[in-house]
Amino acid sequence: EISSPKDTKILPKGYKPAKDDVLCGRGKFCYNWSGNQRFRDIVNAHLEKYASATSKPEKSSIVTSIFDSIGKKCPDSGGFIKKDEKTGHWYQVADVLVREKIGQTLRDALYEQYDSSTKAKRKRKQEEQNKSSAKIRVVASCRKRISELMQNMTHRMKENGKKV
């Protein structure tokens, strides 16, 4: 069962992705698909304009331009498509999700400028893990030093004939 918005369209049984289709998914197969490579090229061609856009309507217009150029390039195919792993059927991804994917791809490409990009999130998570690791090392070092001091004190007390 496909859990996507209402404007999702199931493609005919036995549909084979066209070379210009953009496959939504993970892994090398999707990444290396010719339509996905072309999609990244189109996004890269719009990066400078998107980076310099100062308003949401301006950025939305750029997303629309990318959306339209993909649609024009593959009018006889599925466009942005995804495979339902349960049924094996391909379906067109809803326009709203396509626009989100385009926006996310733009932000990911400009990750240094956008906190919402995947790379920026990954970088923040790594920095937080590094800080936590450093704190743990400090605590462990302090604990080790305290243990050494306690052993030293115990040894001295024994040498001086005091009960421990």
Side-chain angles (χ1 to χ4, degrees), residues 44-144:
N44 287 333
H46 288 82
L47 278 180
E48 191 175 320
K49 192 173 182 181
Y50 189 85
S52 64
T54 56
S55 68
K56 190 166 183 169
E58 219 178 328
K59 291 178 181 186
S60 182
S61 173
I62 295 164
V63 169
T64 300
S65 175
I66 294 170
F67 179 85
D68 290 345
S69 65
I70 297 289
K72 288 176 186 163
K73 191 71 176 172
C74 45
D76 298 327
S77 65
F80 282 80
I81 63 173
K82 187 168 183 146
K83 190 173 190 177
D84 184 336
E85 295 302 327
K86 290 181 184 175
T87 66
H89 289 108
W90 287 93
Y91 63 94
Q92 284 182 326
V93 177
D95 291 354
V96 67
L97 298 176
V98 170
R99 292 180 63 80
E100 284 177 21
K101 180 174 178 61
I102 293 168
Q104 187 64 49
T105 303
L106 286 160
R107 288 188 299 277
D108 285 350
L110 298 166
Y111 74 95
E112 292 177 346
Q113 295 177 29
Y114 290 92
D115 289 339
S116 61
S117 76
T118 304
K119 286 183 181 178
K121 289 176 185 175
R122 195 176 298 133
K123 185 178 177 183
R124 278 195 307 275
K125 184 176 181 181
Q126 184 62 49
E127 287 170 355
E128 288 171 13
Q129 287 175 341
N130 290 345
K131 285 179 187 176
S132 294
S133 294
K135 287 178 183 178
I136 290 169
R137 283 193 299 275
V138 167
V139 168
S141 174
C142 289
R143 195 170 171 197
K144 182 180 176 187

Side-chain angles (χ1 to χ4, degrees), residues 23-27 30-31 36 81-82 101:
L23 308 184
C24 298
R26 295 179 180 261
C30 291
Y31 185 84
N36 292 49
I81 63 173
K82 187 168 183 146
K101 180 174 178 61

Side-chain angles (χ1 to χ4, degrees), residues 17-34:
K19 68 179 180 69
D20 289 327
D21 284 337
V22 178
L23 308 184
C24 298
R26 295 179 180 261
K28 285 183 180 180
F29 181 76
C30 291
Y31 185 84
N32 292 328
W33 189 257
S34 60

